[in-house]
Amino acid sequence: MRRIWNAPGGIHPPDNKAQSLISGIGHLPLPEKLILPLTQHVGTAAKTCVLVGEKVLKGQKLASANASISAPIHAPSSGWVTAIEERPVAHPSGMSAPCIEITCDGEDRWIERVSYPDYQQASALQLRNLIANAGVTGLGGAGFPSAIKLDGAAKKHIDTLIINATECEPYITADDILIRERADQIIQGIDIISHLLGRPKTILIGVENNKPEAIAALNLYCHGTNIEVVTFPTKYPSGGEKQLIYILTGKELPSGQLPADIGIVCLNSGTAFAIKRAVIDGEPLISRITTLTGEACGINRNYEVLIGTPVSHLLRQNDFDQDLCSRLIMGGPMMGMSLASSEVPLIKTSTCILAPSHTEIPDDDPAQACIRCGLCSEVCPASLLPQQLYWYSRAKDHERLQSHNLFDCIECGACSYVCPSNIPLVQYYRSSKGDISNSLADKATAAVARERFEFRQVRLEKADNAREYKREARRLSTEQAKLASPSAVQSTGSSAADIIKAAQLRGITKQASPEQQRAKLERTLLAAQMRLDEAEQRLLQVTNKGSADQQTQQLASVEAAKRKVEQTTQRLTEVSH
Amino acid sequence: MAFKQVSSPHGHARQKTSEIMQLVVLATVPGMLVLTYQFGWGLLINLVIATLSAIFAETLILKLRNRPIKFYLRDYSAVVTAVLLALALPPLAPWWLVVVATVFSIVIAKQLYGGLGSNPFNPAMVGYVVALISFPIEMTTWITPISLLAADVSHPALLESLSIVFAGNSPVDGVTGATPLDLFKHNDGLLVDQIYQNNTLFSRASFAGVGWEWANVAFLIGGLALLKARIFTWHGPIAMLGTLALMSMLFWDGGSSNSPGSPIMHLFSGASMLGAFFIVTDPVSSAVSNRGRLIYGALIGLLVYVIRAWGSYPDAVAFAVLLGNFAAPFIDNYTVPRTYGHDQSRSATAKEKSE
Amino acid sequence: MITLLTENTMLAALLALVGLGTLFGGLLGYAAERFKVGSDPIVQQLDELLPQTQCGQCGFPGCRPYAQSIADGDAINKCPPGGQSTINAIANLLDISAPSLDEEHGEEEIRTIAYIREDECIGCTKCIQACPVDAILGAAKLMHTVITEECTGCDLCVEPCPVDCIDMLPVVKNINQWQWSAPANHADLIATTASGIHEDAA
């Protein structure tokens, strides 16, 4: 028995998993349209590489990875591209994001797939490129591009590979059912990853003890390999990466570092499956297992859904009753996001669609005063003081928030869950994190602006000095010329007057033709009149609602504009004659 | 259905603030029963007066502050303050004393600081201290326990108690008496054994002082029940009782005239158990982290002993708790727990290292 | 000596107090010197807090001169782009109370970015010369354009433009810049309806 450690804090909400495990993985009929957001992962949005109207095949690349942290998007079914525009997506803001819409032609025809069943012969770099091109991202819910995680790990020595089959959140059973039905493929995927990482010494699959069938399936296929299946007591949130690493290895991930920095790589079991599909079957990531659950749906089941399937399609196939449902959640009850509409598409990170009834998840009671009971700090898995973070968040005290390690909060929601006063703690922390990030970003831009300003001062000074220098040099040279031939100067008369006259002569000969002059002056007059109109309009505004200072200022501007118009008119009449 | 934008988590554990408060009041019932049995109707009358004035005061202030009254009264916090104050004040105290103490604690010590959750000091203790300092005579007039009353004397019946409380009549001779801590405070020259023998309060007691010992045991039981229900953690109460016992053990020299009492005596007299399980555990005014609560409880235990032994008041829980409340924010500064992924815990005022 | 002290209690008390005062004063003075923490000059620290738009709305030609003026005792509420949060930060640094923004110098408005309507631009370079952070790209008789990443929204370029082709457009937040707002704390709302809170939970 491998030793396990007990992570601090944690809660034991009711599992609610049995209802979606009655049937196996189901399949939905093909939806009419598929909507693929360009951002389904952590990092920069993918860049479109198809045009509206283009015919695409299943598995064809629609958008390629853009910039250093990104992932490509592939067509989940054959059809043609009907739109590339902003569409509502699953996001707490309810805002829209750029999406590619595909209308399915019903044929579901695959593009030519290139597989590497002989992956042991391929190099790590080749495999990573394959995985990157397949658009594999973390399927546990975070959505970090897996190839980039593996890239980063390649530069370090990895001695432990952890496969996260914990699925600690209530209601979600996607990983559970995937393991029960396809454990052999998952183990294959793990082997690919292990090969890619240079065969780490220890390979662990962490599972909670509320999944006996999954554990049995894993044990069956891990028999004879060096993969160890480790079970531990059920507690939320043991499935968080930091918590799982601690439970399985006793090591704490230092704040701000990545698991690769301490020789560990952690991947979800569904991601391992997707990697197997990408490498051995040559299939890009175009589908995932999503749990559909909640009392507002007549059927509770796991489905292998195509990425981009609208949530409404999924709900309609499962007897969704809108009146029974208190809110629609994408994800689990602890960390899922509430949806503003059911027309949003399922994406690579959609582990679950939860449609609870009013008795399952009632409307939130209004928040009461915090009584400082400390239940929140008892359950915090990161050993923070959520109570103090709450007070400092209300006070917007950024310094104290940082000294209490606000950014170590994993937003698991355990504190909010137990709060007897119903305070939405996680929302406070999220908004404070945003405030602090914004103020840091503002400081950074201010620093850049300051640098540019100072550089500009230096530049202007230099220009002034250069001018001064030239002026001095010219003055000296004319003086020297004077001294050199005093007779020559006298013959031409007073040098200053002559120089001026010569300059004037040059000016006159260089002068444009009268037509050109007039045209130029007419243009200037037009512009000056426009400015006068503007200034007078603004004067009217300011007279009505501006201060006395503003009025005098504006009056002065109007005067200046008037003078300019008069001047230009005068010169125009002069030139015309 | 509402398509709404709410932050996760969705769903809550069952326990609500009002339920916590109700459980606390329920846990004082054993102690209340013992005290009523030992000291008569005075306690229950106090309870009624205190509860009514607390609710009245809270309603008035909420109205002034333009807050929804039912929403705030529903959290039962005013009731808890009233109950604790009623348990602390002497039975058969005049009604105006109870009202003044309760109104002061609700209005000044709680609402003026911002209401529930924002008060730095324990409101019940503030009310008690204000009453003690303003009305020392009335606050030090206690009742003789029932088992020690002379044959022809009995505790006033209900109507008589009401007349004492409301009309200011004096109780019959022999009804009022000293408390165990009073005896220790005022008999400096005697050896402990002599005190024990001279006073029926001790000579007829089982281990601490007649009447008071069982009241403290009852509060202990209530407190342990709350501990089991996970209303609070063990750190505060155990630290306080432990330090109190430790101090009294350190200074126990076998019972000479100098010593202020045995550990058992201290643990089971006065408001020790009430203080440990109902006052020290008041979450609003105590320290925040578990380590902080240990230090906070220990500080209060220490101060209780110091004031009892060398101060001028026989019982010291109220003063000790208030002093502890003063210290709580400072204790919080230095007892921030170590966060996952960090080497050491930092002080709350640590500044971020600039880039 | 001892008898002198015991007999003259007043003298003893005086000596005791003076002695203690000297002792502790000496200790504190030594500690102040020995454990002194070197710090940034105050002007630098103040400049760090100002938003660096270099707009001149405070009446000074740039943020640094204003920082200098604050260090010399000027009012701290003259910076509209910084807004109340900057005033609070400066007040915190200087340990004084934070006044509200002085309306004479302008109001705190949402962040804007300059945009040149290129159809109307005549290439006069007046805006380029006016921009305090050199955020306008261009040269004489050639197209001028604003480098949006560097523009601080100070709007000093709008005045000099002879054809008035510069607009100040508000910065629009997209889905990537969205952040959660703090919850409305119903418990703090002063005027709540009689039935209270249930309309709009959380």
Side-chain angles (χ1 to χ4, degrees):
Chain A
M1 255 334 279
R2 196 179 173 85
R3 177 174 173 197
I4 49 172
W5 285 257
N6 182 25
I11 52 174
H12 300 94
D15 261 354
N16 278 310
K17 297 196 189 234
Q19 54 264 51
S20 48
L21 288 169
I22 305 173
S23 332
I25 299 177
H27 290 88
L28 296 168
L30 205 56
E32 229 185 82
K33 293 188 198 275
L34 291 165
I35 305 165
L36 288 317
L38 292 177
T39 312
Q40 300 183 27
H41 48 263
V42 168
T44 330
K47 205 159 85 172
T48 334
C49 56
V50 291
L51 298 167
V52 177
E54 203 174 312
K55 263 192 129 332
V56 291
L57 291 170
K58 182 165 175 144
Q60 180 172 338
K61 190 180 280 195
L62 300 175
S64 47
N66 186 17
S68 49
I69 302 187
S70 188
I73 313 275
H74 300 80
S77 186
S78 56
W80 58 97
V81 180
T82 33
I84 301 178
E85 62 189 9
E86 300 254 324
R87 286 292 173 84
V89 291
H91 190 267
S93 65
M95 291 164 93
S96 301
C99 293
I100 301 176
E101 182 193 71
I102 298 193
T103 304
C104 302
D105 59 10
E107 291 171 32
D108 218 29
R109 231 175 328 135
W110 266 103
I111 198 173
E112 199 185 308
R113 283 164 275 190
V114 183
S115 58
Y116 276 80
D118 242 353
Y119 59 87
Q120 271 124 345
Q121 312 302 326
S123 73
L125 182 61
Q126 279 177 309
L127 287 175
R128 288 203 304 269
N129 281 337
L130 246 162
I131 296 171
N133 277 325
V136 177
T137 59
L139 295 180
F144 193 82
S146 308
I148 299 179
K149 184 188 277 199
L150 295 168
D151 264 347
K155 304 186 178 85
K156 317 212 157 86
H157 173 69
I158 305 297
D159 55 56
T160 313
L161 170 63
I162 295 177
I163 301 296
N164 192 342
T166 318
E167 206 162 49
C168 53
E169 230 178 310
Y171 286 99
I172 309 183
T173 50
D175 284 346
D176 192 355
I177 202 85
L178 182 69
I179 296 173
R180 287 193 203 186
E181 296 195 8
R182 305 182 192 173
D184 52 337
Q185 300 186 52
I186 296 176
I187 302 298
Q188 275 187 302
I190 297 176
D191 196 60
I192 299 172
I193 302 168
S194 169
H195 168 76
L196 206 153
L197 291 172
R199 300 282 169 198
K201 224 171 22 155
T202 323
I203 307 180
L204 306 169
I205 307 183
V207 207
E208 277 186 338
N209 61 6
N210 58 357
K211 302 177 179 59
E213 296 93 340
I215 295 169
L218 285 173
N219 276 326
L220 178 65
Y221 287 102
C222 289
H223 186 67
T225 66
N226 69 336
I227 304 174
E228 244 187 279
V229 180
V230 186
T231 29
F232 45 88
T234 305
K235 186 163 76 168
Y236 176 82
S238 327
E241 191 178 61
K242 293 188 186 182
Q243 280 63 42
L244 186 63
I245 290 177
Y246 180 74
I247 293 174
L248 296 178
T249 65
K251 291 192 209 167
E252 271 187 23
L253 180 60
S255 174
Q257 287 188 7
L258 295 168
D261 295 328
I262 54 171
I264 299 177
V265 167
C266 188
L267 286 169
N268 179 268
S269 47
T271 315
F273 177 75
I275 288 177
K276 178 259 174 190
R277 278 275 183 87
V279 172
I280 297 185
D281 304 330
E283 290 180 10
L285 179 58
I286 54 165
S287 67
R288 65 156 296 138
I289 312 291
T290 301
T291 311
L292 190 286
T293 182
E295 280 175 6
C297 282
I299 306 172
N300 282 164
R301 197 179 177 177
N302 281 291
Y303 287 96
E304 187 165 22
V305 292
L306 293 178
I307 310 283
T309 307
V311 170
S312 53
H313 180 78
L314 180 61
L315 292 172
R316 237 172 303 141
Q317 306 294 326
N318 289 281
D319 283 352
F320 173 60
D321 185 344
Q322 188 163 332
D323 296 321
L324 282 179
C325 182
S326 74
R327 62 182 96 167
L328 202 54
I329 301 171
M330 182 180 285
M334 300 301 299
M335 290 183 77
M337 73 174 101
S338 58
L339 294 177
S341 125
S342 64
E343 290 310 316
V344 295
L346 290 169
I347 53 176
K348 294 179 182 177
T349 53
S350 307
T351 48
C352 170
I353 296 292
L354 172 58
S357 64
H358 289 277
T359 37
E360 275 185 305
I361 297 184
D363 280 344
D364 292 325
D365 282 331
Q368 294 177 299
C370 167
I371 60 168
R372 296 177 160 273
C373 62
L375 281 175
C376 50
S377 25
E378 278 174 47
V379 300
C380 179
S383 306
L384 296 167
L385 285 177
Q387 192 199 118
Q388 295 294 73
L389 291 176
Y390 162 72
W391 289 112
Y392 293 137
S393 172
R394 278 185 66 179
K396 302 204 193 296
D397 189 340
H398 294 177
E399 264 182 29
R400 288 287 179 114
L401 280 169
Q402 289 186 298
S403 71
H404 281 80
N405 298 322
L406 172 68
F407 281 91
D408 282 302
C409 167
I410 61 173
E411 296 176 22
C412 67
C415 52
S416 269
Y417 183 80
V418 295
C419 178
S421 293
N422 281 313
I423 301 175
L425 292 168
V426 179
Q427 191 175 342
Y428 278 102
Y429 307 149
R430 286 181 168 149
S431 92
S432 287
K433 284 186 188 178
D435 280 342
I436 295 180
S437 306
N438 280 347
S439 85
L440 284 176
D442 279 345
K443 275 219 179 78
T445 39
V448 171
R450 187 186 310 122
E451 262 184 51
R452 291 183 75 91
F453 179 66
E454 284 168 2
F455 178 76
R456 178 173 180 265
Q457 306 286 74
V458 167
R459 177 174 67 81
L460 292 175
E461 226 183 279
K462 266 208 216 146
D464 273 341
N465 288 343
R467 233 173 296 156
E468 263 307 309
Y469 179 74
K470 268 203 214 136
R471 209 174 297 148
E472 270 303 305
R474 221 181 304 138
R475 192 176 64 81
L476 280 172
S477 69
T478 47
E479 270 187 22
Q480 278 179 348
K482 250 195 285 175
L483 289 169
S485 52
S487 51
V489 168
Q490 269 169 5
S491 65
T492 51
S494 153
S495 59
D498 270 350
I499 294 178
I500 292 174
K501 222 191 272 168
Q504 279 181 327
L505 260 168
R506 279 201 306 274
I508 289 171
T509 47
K510 252 220 203 139
Q511 226 170 34
S513 68
E515 288 86 35
Q516 279 178 322
Q517 260 192 308
R518 199 183 315 146
K520 182 162 178 225
L521 282 170
E522 276 172 0
R523 279 203 303 272
T524 321
L525 178 61
L526 200 64
Q529 272 172 341
M530 265 172 53
R531 281 198 69 74
L532 175 60
D533 288 333
E534 271 285 341
E536 282 180 328
Q537 259 188 11
R538 245 182 268 151
L539 176 62
L540 262 159
Q541 283 178 348
V542 161
T543 325
N544 290 335
K545 23 189 175 127
S547 69
D549 276 343
Q550 282 179 316
Q551 289 179 25
T552 29
Q553 234 182 14
Q554 201 52 37
L555 273 165
S557 308
V558 170
E559 280 308 309
K562 276 200 190 132
R563 248 179 287 133
K564 179 93 192 184
V565 171
E566 281 168 14
Q567 259 182 2
T568 324
T569 329
Q570 211 181 20
R571 289 194 55 204
L572 191 55
T573 42
E574 272 174 21
V575 169
S576 307
H577 293 355
Chain B
M1 156 167 78
F3 276 118
K4 53 177 97 160
Q5 250 112 57
V6 231
S7 164
S8 59
H10 309 275
H12 267 94
R14 261 204 60 248
Q15 194 167 60
K16 291 214 216 329
T17 300
S18 50
E19 283 171 18
I20 293 180
M21 300 286 176
Q22 288 165 0
L23 277 171
V24 169
V25 172
L26 224 61
T28 61
V29 167
M32 257 194 256
L33 290 173
V34 172
L35 284 174
T36 310
Y37 171 71
Q38 289 288 351
F39 298 110
W41 291 103
L43 178 69
L44 292 177
I45 301 174
N46 275 358
L47 207 55
V48 171
I49 301 176
T51 312
L52 289 174
S53 19
I55 295 179
F56 174 73
E58 184 122 307
T59 310
L60 185 65
I61 291 292
L62 287 173
K63 244 203 171 64
L64 283 174
R65 286 176 76 195
N66 264 326
R67 301 282 198 262
I69 295 173
K70 250 181 76 170
F71 179 70
Y72 282 94
L73 282 185
R74 241 186 309 142
D75 62 21
Y76 282 88
S77 53
V79 174
V80 170
T81 307
V83 165
L84 294 175
L85 205 42
L87 290 170
L89 294 171
L92 294 184
W95 65 273
W96 44 264
L97 181 86
V98 182
V99 171
V100 164
T102 316
V103 170
F104 195 91
S105 64
I106 295 288
V107 172
I108 308 254
K110 182 173 151 200
Q111 288 295 342
L112 241 55
Y113 279 103
L116 178 64
S118 304
N119 44 296
F121 302 108
N122 189 313
M125 292 297 101
V126 170
Y128 179 89
V129 163
V130 162
L132 183 62
I133 296 178
S134 317
F135 312 113
I137 307 285
E138 288 86 351
M139 287 294 286
T140 48
T141 315
W142 290 86
I143 308 289
T144 313
I146 195 169
S147 27
L148 295 182
L149 288 174
D152 56 342
V153 183
S154 63
H155 279 144
L158 181 57
L159 279 174
E160 211 194 315
S161 309
L162 284 169
S163 79
I164 297 174
V165 168
F166 284 99
N169 299 334
S170 315
V172 172
D173 261 346
V175 167
T176 56
T179 65
L181 288 172
D182 269 343
L183 289 175
F184 266 88
K185 181 60 61 181
H186 296 124
N187 286 306
D188 261 345
L190 299 175
L191 292 174
V192 173
D193 279 331
Q194 287 174 319
I195 300 179
Y196 272 43
Q197 279 157 15
N198 291 354
N199 291 291
T200 47
L201 206 51
F202 283 108
S203 55
R204 300 235 284 256
S206 309
F207 49 90
V210 175
W212 290 102
E213 57 193 354
W214 294 113
N216 272 290
V217 170
F219 283 125
L220 174 65
I221 294 174
L224 290 175
L226 286 178
L227 201 57
K228 179 101 197 321
R230 304 192 61 191
I231 301 292
F232 45 75
T233 55
W234 57 267
H235 303 82
I238 303 297
M240 185 244 185
L241 293 174
T243 314
L244 185 58
L246 190 68
M247 285 295 286
S248 47
M249 265 194 282
L250 275 175
F251 290 93
W252 176 245
D253 54 7
S256 78
S257 58
N258 282 328
S259 68
S262 72
I264 293 284
M265 219 288 296
H266 274 286
L267 284 178
F268 287 98
S269 46
S272 301
M273 289 297 172
L274 177 69
F277 289 98
F278 294 90
I279 314 284
V280 166
T281 55
D282 169 44
V284 181
S285 46
S286 77
V288 160
S289 59
N290 283 339
R291 240 183 334 150
R293 285 179 178 154
L294 278 173
I295 299 176
Y296 172 78
L299 178 67
I300 291 181
L302 177 76
L303 287 170
V304 168
Y305 185 78
V306 164
I307 301 177
R308 279 183 180 173
W310 302 295
S312 46
Y313 284 94
D315 196 4
V317 173
F319 293 112
V321 166
L322 287 181
L323 287 171
N325 293 155
F326 268 115
F330 184 75
I331 295 174
D332 280 336
N333 262 1
Y334 291 100
T335 52
V336 180
R338 183 189 71 89
T339 309
Y340 176 105
H342 289 256
D343 279 331
Q344 303 165 323
S345 62
R346 314 149 75 148
S347 116
T349 45
K351 298 241 194 305
E352 280 291 295
K353 284 196 269 282
S354 43
E355 313 297 299
Chain C
M1 175 69 174
I2 304 289
T3 44
L4 180 68
L5 286 176
T6 46
E7 276 168 23
N8 280 326
T9 49
M10 203 162 90
L11 185 63
L14 207 62
L15 278 175
L17 280 176
V18 169
L20 281 172
T22 320
L23 175 68
F24 286 120
L27 269 172
L28 282 173
Y30 173 72
E33 274 310 307
R34 170 81 173 76
F35 301 112
K36 195 177 199 143
V37 177
S39 57
D40 281 334
I42 196 72
V43 177
Q44 181 70 27
Q45 287 178 306
L46 285 165
D47 193 36
E48 300 268 315
L49 293 174
L50 293 172
Q52 302 306 316
T53 47
Q54 321 290 352
C55 61
Q57 286 180 286
C58 55
F60 296 89
C63 299
R64 185 126 199 157
Y66 182 43
Q68 181 70 55
S69 172
I70 293 178
D72 293 334
D74 200 351
I76 65 172
N77 59 348
K78 295 189 183 172
C79 176
Q84 192 61 41
S85 56
T86 306
I87 296 177
N88 293 345
I90 297 177
N92 198 17
L93 178 68
L94 300 176
D95 219 9
I96 57 180
S97 67
S100 57
L101 184 59
D102 188 355
E103 296 288 304
E104 267 191 51
H105 293 271
E107 289 169 9
E108 183 176 6
E109 281 151 10
I110 52 168
R111 185 93 202 285
T112 50
I113 298 251
Y115 174 74
I116 294 176
R117 295 196 297 275
E118 298 187 358
D119 291 338
E120 302 163 37
C121 174
I122 59 172
C124 68
T125 75
K126 290 228 169 76
C127 59
I128 297 182
Q129 291 163 38
C131 176
V133 292
D134 282 343
I136 303 185
L137 197 57
K141 303 262 180 63
L142 296 175
M143 185 52 65
H144 298 346
T145 192
V146 175
I147 308 174
T148 45
E149 289 88 24
E150 308 295 352
C151 175
T152 62
C154 72
D155 85 26
L156 283 173
C157 55
V158 179
E159 265 300 305
C161 176
V163 296
D164 206 27
C165 70
I166 304 188
D167 291 324
M168 296 305 293
L169 303 174
V171 177
V172 172
K173 289 205 180 252
N174 67 12
I175 200 173
N176 292 329
Q177 295 157 328
W178 179 89
Q179 64 174 82
W180 282 97
S181 54
N185 198 331
H186 288 272
D188 283 343
L189 291 175
I190 290 288
T192 51
T193 61
S195 65
I197 322 270
H198 290 275
E199 280 106 70
D200 186 358

